[in-house]
Amino acid sequence: MSVYGGNAALLASASLGQATVYYDPAALLAVSGIKDGFIVGTNEGDALLFIYDNGQLVFEKLASFGVPIAISASLSGDKIFVASPLNEEIVVFSKNGAIWEKSQTIQVGKPIVHPVVLDEQNNLFAVTSDNGLTAINLDSGEKLANFPIALSSAPTSSPVLTNITADNAGNEISVLTADGERNVFNQTGGEIPSNLPVKSFIESSADASQS
């Protein structure tokens, strides 16, 4: 694992030994409250917290799951979400002072094939092995109305939150699939037409994240 500066200069590196990173990119989000920290999931099922400090890159094991895991984090950096294509649950860790603690396990019912994403209303969105998009409220642990939704084919990446319609009604959820389609839905499960003007896609965050 390596850390590079803005000029592409190598700043530090650390060996994972025999372990391999499951989901690329490895550094999904900087973790607030920790100096230049990021969290990685491995094929061996370990959640590893890396910290870059004073020219050195060190890491510690947060938890072991025994299956390949993909990790994402809340924008505030105080929660991380662990999912696996071999499990049917999302495990939530919360930061309590300097310690990360397992705080919640959410049953999904289907294996999750890419890292999950959290919106501003505390709703988690995930794509599943049966080519579905599901949405679960983090506070209640319940699925949102009208979810899960069938996608046009297998998802090729995580869901992306965007505002393709350029309104104030909340985010849309965009998922790219193996048939080349962009599947777009609003937060109540309604499908957004895929034939929107090209300009709206170019200006949206979905293109920046999914191109």
Side-chain angles (χ1 to χ4, degrees), residues 106-179:
I106 300 172
Q107 299 299 325
V108 178
K110 299 288 183 181
I112 301 163
V113 294
H114 293 289
V116 304
V117 62
L118 181 73
D119 72 6
E120 295 177 350
Q121 286 75 46
N122 257 13
N123 297 318
L124 282 167
F125 295 90
V127 287
T128 52
S129 60
D130 60 346
N131 301 345
L133 170 67
T134 193
I136 300 169
N137 182 262
L138 185 60
D139 299 319
S140 68
E142 300 294 328
K143 286 186 173 70
L144 300 189
N146 304 317
F147 287 88
I149 299 170
L151 301 172
S152 59
S153 69
T156 59
S157 64
S158 295
V160 170
L161 300 177
T162 184
N163 195 355
I164 289 175
T165 56
D167 59 24
N168 295 316
N171 290 316
E172 287 83 47
I173 304 94
S174 175
V175 181
L176 290 181
T177 49
D179 57 3

Side-chain angles (χ1 to χ4, degrees), residues 35-207:
K35 295 181 179 178
D36 298 319
F38 57 91
I39 299 173
V40 172
T42 70
N43 274 299
E44 294 72 22
D46 294 330
L48 306 177
L49 170 63
F50 283 79
I51 300 173
Y52 174 68
D53 188 20
N54 294 324
Q56 294 188 345
L57 185 63
V58 297
F59 68 92
E60 62 179 282
K61 185 185 297 186
L62 294 182
S64 295
F65 294 86
V67 293
I69 55 173
I71 296 178
S72 50
S74 61
L75 289 175
S76 60
D78 62 349
K79 293 184 184 297
I80 59 174
F81 309 103
V82 180
S84 172
L86 299 180
N87 281 343
E88 298 182 356
E89 61 188 26
I90 300 168
V91 180
V92 184
F93 286 81
S94 300
K95 192 165 181 286
N96 182 9
I99 300 173
W100 287 93
E101 299 177 338
K102 180 179 176 180
S103 58
Q104 192 175 0
T105 300
I106 300 172
Q107 299 299 325
V108 178
K110 299 288 183 181
I112 301 163
V113 294
H114 293 289
V116 304
V117 62
L118 181 73
D119 72 6
E120 295 177 350
Q121 286 75 46
N122 257 13
N123 297 318
L124 282 167
F125 295 90
V127 287
T128 52
S129 60
D130 60 346
N131 301 345
L133 170 67
T134 193
I136 300 169
N137 182 262
L138 185 60
D139 299 319
S140 68
E142 300 294 328
K143 286 186 173 70
L144 300 189
N146 304 317
F147 287 88
I149 299 170
L151 301 172
S152 59
S153 69
T156 59
S157 64
S158 295
V160 170
L161 300 177
T162 184
N163 195 355
I164 289 175
T165 56
D167 59 24
N168 295 316
N171 290 316
E172 287 83 47
I173 304 94
S174 175
V175 181
L176 290 181
T177 49
D179 57 3
E181 294 295 320
R182 186 198 306 270
N183 295 232
V184 185
F185 306 92
N186 60 32
Q187 291 176 309
T188 59
E191 187 170 6
I192 305 296
S194 60
N195 60 348
L196 288 176
V198 173
K199 182 177 180 180
S200 67
F201 282 123
I202 292 175
E203 294 179 346
S204 77
S205 61
D207 283 277

